[in-house]
Amino acid sequence: LETAQTLHNLALSYYTNGDSLDLAINHLDESLELNHGIKNNEGVAKDLILKGNIHYLKKDYNTAIRIAESGLKVAEKYNLPTNVLEGTDLLGLLYAELGQYQKAYLFQTRNSKLNDSLVAGENLKKIAQLDMQRTFDERQKETELKHLQENLQIEAELKRNKLVKNFSIIAGLLFIMLGVIVYRNFRRSRRSEKEKEILLKEIHHRV
């Protein structure tokens, strides 16, 4: 498969440069033999249509038509829309060169319809992809919003716990201060009572 593809690419390079067209045809013949052997139908269709293009460049229109029609049959049989598009376009040009404008028109019409359907199919695919992307984005936003809400709840819980902790510390400190004040007052009251007892004893003693 890789060898056949390499031979096809070499032939395409020669065809694109417009030189060594016979060498390009030789490479395509080798590629066709390999593709037939491994039953690579897409490769066969591509090779035949490219070979038709080379004969079109050589102005051998009848040979080009015969080869291009063979490639188109393979492409149609195995549902290869890109190759069908290339084949119909080439045959439209070839029949126009021979002055058979009715056939040329038919092939060009088929080419236009197929091209429109492929474009429509691509557009539908793009619309489906955009719709999938939109759905994904919406779900992503929902997930992010959910995570944000969870984070806010966690932060609120932490703040509440911190407030409770601070309040407990303050309440504990106030309770300790209150205890100290009560204890001091108690000590003072005991001291004053003792002083009173001492004074009373002193008075009784003097009396």
Side-chain angles (χ1 to χ4, degrees):
L1 183 63
E2 289 176 359
T3 305
Q5 185 62 48
T6 304
L7 289 165
H8 179 90
N9 289 340
L10 284 167
L12 183 61
S13 298
Y14 287 128
Y15 164 72
T16 305
N17 293 330
D19 58 355
S20 304
L21 296 179
D22 291 330
L23 188 56
I25 289 170
N26 290 337
H27 285 318
L28 282 174
D29 288 337
E30 290 181 54
S31 179
L32 274 166
E33 188 178 350
L34 287 169
N35 282 321
H36 276 302
I38 60 175
K39 295 182 180 179
N40 178 22
N41 300 309
E42 186 177 1
V44 170
K46 283 170 66 177
D47 287 341
L48 288 170
I49 291 167
L50 180 56
K51 195 173 178 182
N53 273 297
I54 292 169
H55 282 286
Y56 172 59
L57 202 61
K58 293 177 72 175
K59 299 188 184 301
D60 186 1
Y61 301 131
N62 290 317
T63 305
I65 287 172
R66 179 175 53 80
I67 294 168
E69 285 182 341
S70 298
L72 182 59
K73 282 180 183 176
V74 173
E76 288 174 333
K77 183 179 179 181
Y78 295 101
N79 191 25
L80 304 167
T82 305
N83 302 123
V84 172
L85 200 66
E86 292 172 353
T88 50
D89 184 53
L90 175 59
L91 285 165
L93 294 171
L94 287 165
Y95 279 114
E97 289 288 347
L98 293 175
Q100 298 181 34
Y101 298 112
Q102 189 173 358
K103 283 187 175 181
Y105 174 75
L106 289 173
F107 278 111
Q108 286 300 324
T109 303
R110 282 179 62 188
N111 182 272
S112 296
K113 285 181 180 178
L114 179 60
N115 188 53
D116 290 343
S117 67
L118 288 175
V119 169
E122 284 296 317
N123 288 337
L124 286 172
K125 191 186 291 184
K126 285 179 182 177
I127 289 168
Q129 287 174 346
L130 288 170
D131 191 47
M132 287 174 65
Q133 186 65 41
R134 182 180 56 78
T135 305
F136 174 78
D137 290 341
E138 285 177 356
R139 287 181 180 175
Q140 190 75 12
K141 285 178 182 177
E142 287 175 3
T143 305
E144 288 175 359
L145 183 62
K146 188 177 179 182
H147 287 172
L148 182 62
Q149 288 174 342
E150 289 174 355
N151 290 335
L152 288 172
Q153 286 177 352
I154 290 167
E155 286 179 9
E157 187 70 25
L158 288 171
K159 284 180 180 178
R160 187 161 51 248
N161 292 339
K162 191 175 180 181
L163 283 171
V164 170
K165 184 179 178 182
N166 291 338
F167 178 77
S168 300
I169 291 169
I170 292 168
L173 290 171
L174 288 172
F175 183 75
I176 291 168
M177 288 173 66
L178 184 64
V180 170
I181 291 167
V182 169
Y183 178 72
R184 283 182 177 176
N185 288 336
F186 175 73
R187 288 287 299 274
R188 277 193 198 130
S189 64
R190 285 297 300 267
R191 194 181 300 120
S192 63
E193 284 178 5
K194 282 185 179 180
E195 287 175 354
K196 281 180 184 179
E197 287 177 6
I198 290 168
L199 286 171
L200 284 170
K201 283 180 181 180
E202 181 67 25
I203 291 167
H204 284 300
H205 176 70
R206 290 179 182 275
V207 170

